[in-house]
Amino acid sequence: METSLRQYALGESLVASPHSVVGCLPTLADVRAYEEKESRVWSALEGGYPRFVEHVWVRELKEFYMKRAGLEITDAALLRGEPALASLRDLLGGDFHSLEVEAGLFLGWLEGAADSKALMKYIQHTGCGISSREAEDWLVQHGLKASVFEETTYAGDADTAVRSELARLTGAKPAEIWPCASGMNAFYSAFRAMQSVQRARGRRRWLQLGWLYVDSGSILEKYLGAGEELEICHRVESVESVLEAIANCGEELAALVVECPSNPLIKSCDLARIAAAVWAQGGMMLVDPTIASVYAVDVLKYADVLATSLTKYAGHGADLMTGALVLNTDSSHAADLRPGLEQWHLEPYARDLARLAESMQDAPRKVAAMQANAKRLCAFFEAHPAVERVHASTGAAFEAIAKEADCVVPLFSIVLKGSMERFYDAVTAMKGPSFGADRTILCPFMYLAHYDLVTSQAGRSQLQAAGIDPDLIRIAVGTEPYEELKAVFAAALEASSAG
């Protein structure tokens, strides 16, 4: 078996599957070119995160439907779900058109001079597009592909298996768990459900703790309506300032949204105190534990709704996109939230769910191995003279939600004293925008999440003010032998200090 600790070619997939969700950007120059949409990079991508990189089979399928319908348009999107269509009509107005091409599957497009970016951004932010497996099946059915890719999937009832395992991990009942097409769809569905309930109550002030994943933040910025406000508290560890912000919202508080731990600084907040303050004012708690995963932390008791990606950790093979919603039945808002969660969530495609159920059987063992490596690597980086700082899962707030003592999340960030670019280019491992795989992945996080900020002096100053070094490197630790990982990073750290 070929080692995963090697130099990958530009665009090469992490795994030998056409459904891979990670493609390599081997140098920082490639990262810049990716963000600046240079064709040499985009044409080389074999695979990538599906909401950012359109899969070749999805593109082939939509072109088939466009031709079959006789549509003379430059671009379109494939999406599932009536709620998504209704939302797009509200968002884009009369320029948006749709056609049901299969039962429950729609082709959507903008006519005239309308900018198609708004349509594509909506699908990116809300996760309502179709998966590569669904596209693959339709291509086979229409005679455009001979057969589907052979892979190991769960032989039994995948939906029951996934719900049961998530119930074990979160303490919820299987009936209060909704597998979703992606983690982003889970987050968007929770947001919409909360917004609908709280808007009707006249509650229009939202609080965001820390830097959210780029699309989560975009949802809060773009889909809050007229009269609704968003306040961002960047320093999640400053509980007193958070409590003050909650109090200032008064009876207008709609919800507090937090990733716990946060990304990319891996900071945890005092969820117990914050949730108590939010609930005392009639607000809601939307908690996303994706960074650590439901394998590592117990946060449902501090949430009205838990929204998480299962692409990471549960889907450790890096070849699927799924997520989940979990409703806290002890929440005073549970009965009001349930209809919205039912309405907005998009179920995973059957083959994606079967692949997830298969992957989850081995996930606890994989995650434990990743955590063990992370603990040793954090110690290695903290002691290394070329490293300025390590951002990892530490402190009393994290310990309060961790399922096991001394747990170290297998995702952390480092700030170097020397050249980040020389370090990044020298590392012999996968490099791209994902984590939670059983193979190590490096990410220049702010370059891929907020390129506009790292490329301007004002933006870099904004990041520094929020406590984020623009040149930090996020490391998602895999299950490779520790000594091999250590050797790879030791060589890259030496390169960072050269010259």
Side-chain angles (χ1 to χ4, degrees):
M1 179 179 176
E2 188 176 23
T3 179
S4 57
L5 298 177
R6 60 181 177 84
Q7 284 288 8
Y8 290 77
L10 172 62
E12 184 179 355
S13 293
L14 176 60
V15 294
S17 166
H19 304 294
S20 173
V21 298
V22 185
C24 189
L25 298 170
T27 70
L28 200 64
D30 294 326
V31 172
R32 295 188 186 100
Y34 170 86
E35 288 294 333
E36 293 167 10
K37 308 298 181 185
E38 290 186 17
S39 59
R40 74 166 183 88
V41 171
W42 283 84
S43 62
L45 289 172
E46 295 176 359
Y49 219 61
R51 289 181 301 99
F52 304 121
V53 180
E54 185 176 53
H55 196 281
V56 62
W57 291 342
V58 174
R59 184 163 59 251
E60 186 178 345
L61 182 63
K62 75 177 184 183
E63 289 172 354
F64 164 76
Y65 289 132
M66 289 162 61
K67 183 177 180 180
R68 188 179 72 175
L71 295 171
E72 296 183 359
I73 53 178
T74 57
D75 202 5
L78 286 168
L79 57 150
R80 287 198 285 131
E82 288 285 356
L85 282 180
S87 186
L88 276 167
R89 291 189 193 103
D90 291 341
L91 180 69
L92 302 175
D95 290 330
F96 176 71
H97 299 269
S98 64
L99 174 68
E100 190 169 19
V101 291
E102 309 287 355
L105 178 62
F106 300 87
L107 187 72
W109 69 95
L110 291 169
E111 284 195 346
D115 190 347
S116 64
K117 289 181 181 179
L119 171 59
M120 300 308 175
K121 282 292 185 183
Y122 177 87
I123 292 172
Q124 175 185 323
H125 297 328
T126 64
C128 66
I130 71 168
S131 75
S132 56
R133 288 182 178 86
E134 182 173 3
E136 182 183 29
D137 281 347
W138 285 118
L139 289 171
V140 170
Q141 184 165 324
H142 290 297
L144 301 173
K145 272 186 62 64
S147 62
V148 300
F149 175 73
E150 291 188 11
E151 58 187 353
T152 304
T153 58
Y154 190 75
D157 184 336
D159 183 69
T160 297
V162 169
R163 288 174 186 263
S164 296
E165 179 65 356
L166 288 174
R168 182 187 72 81
L169 291 166
T170 63
K173 296 178 181 178
E176 308 303 334
I177 296 171
W178 291 267
C180 298
S182 66
M184 209 65 256
N185 180 254
F187 184 91
Y188 179 70
S189 302
F191 163 75
R192 282 298 198 193
M194 289 182 169
Q195 182 186 42
S196 176
V197 173
Q198 296 292 62
R199 182 184 282 173
R201 297 170 175 170
R203 292 177 171 270
R204 295 175 175 268
R205 297 184 66 176
W206 290 70
L207 289 177
Q208 169 189 322
L209 298 195
W211 283 88
L212 295 185
Y213 182 68
V214 59
D215 288 325
S216 303
S218 294
I219 285 172
L220 295 179
E221 292 170 4
K222 295 184 178 182
Y223 302 123
L224 289 175
E228 292 178 314
E229 300 176 14
L230 173 65
E231 179 181 347
I232 302 174
C233 303
H234 285 298
R235 298 192 178 274
V236 300
E237 70 278 15
S238 178
V239 65
E240 297 303 329
S241 64
V242 173
L243 294 176
E244 181 179 356
I246 294 168
N248 289 340
C249 288
E251 294 184 356
E252 291 185 304
L253 177 64
L256 183 145
V257 181
V258 61
E259 291 176 353
C260 193
S262 66
N263 188 12
L265 299 184
I266 326 298
K267 290 185 179 294
S268 298
C269 59
D270 189 338
L271 277 179
R273 290 183 66 190
I274 290 170
V278 167
W279 288 332
Q281 291 187 198
M284 296 179 179
M285 289 285 294
L286 171 50
V287 182
D288 181 350
T290 297
I291 294 300
S293 84
V294 291
Y295 293 95
V297 295
D298 179 14
V299 299
L300 181 60
K301 58 191 172 185
Y302 305 121
D304 294 284
V305 179
L306 180 157
T308 187
S309 171
L310 298 177
T311 302
K312 292 87 172 175
Y313 302 110
H316 52 80
D319 62 357
L320 58 88
M321 287 280 286
T322 53
L325 288 163
V326 185
L327 178 63
N328 182 354
T329 53
D330 291 332
S331 165
S332 62
H333 306 290
D336 295 320
L337 288 169
R338 187 177 286 105
L341 300 179
E342 289 277 8
Q343 174 189 352
W344 285 101
H345 92 283
L346 185 63
E347 294 181 358
Y349 186 61
R351 281 180 57 208
D352 293 311
L353 195 63
R355 181 64 180 152
L356 174 65
E358 176 67 23
S359 177
M360 290 182 79
Q361 293 187 94
D362 199 29
R365 182 181 66 83
K366 294 275 191 178
V367 173
M370 293 154 68
Q371 290 174 343
N373 274 343
K375 185 175 183 178
R376 298 179 72 182
L377 275 177
C378 280
F380 164 74
F381 282 118
E382 286 169 349
H384 200 285
V387 177
E388 181 72 35
R389 187 169 183 183
V390 177
H391 297 281
S393 53
T394 58
F398 177 74
E399 292 169 3
I401 59 174
K403 290 184 175 181
E404 295 183 4
D406 299 323
C407 170
V408 174
V409 172
L411 185 73
F412 55 87
S413 298
I414 62 172
V415 177
L416 302 171
K417 294 178 181 178
S419 167
M420 180 273 274
E421 184 162 1
R422 286 197 296 267
F423 174 84
Y424 181 83
D425 292 356
V427 170
T428 51
M430 174 53 69
K431 303 165 194 176
S434 193
F435 63 94
D438 57 16
R439 305 176 190 200
T440 297
I441 304 173
L442 234 67
C443 177
F445 181 78
M446 302 313 297
Y447 282 74
L448 287 169
H450 299 282
Y451 189 68
D452 58 327
L453 297 182
V454 300
T455 52
S456 72
Q457 188 55 52
R460 294 176 76 88
S461 297
Q462 181 184 342
L463 292 173
Q464 294 283 10
I468 299 176
D469 189 300
D471 292 326
L472 64 75
I473 291 282
R474 194 184 70 181
I475 300 173
V477 186
T479 60
E480 299 94 343
Y482 170 72
E483 291 300 331
E484 294 181 18
L485 286 167
K486 179 182 175 182
V488 164
F489 287 118
L493 286 170
E494 183 176 351
S496 76
S497 302

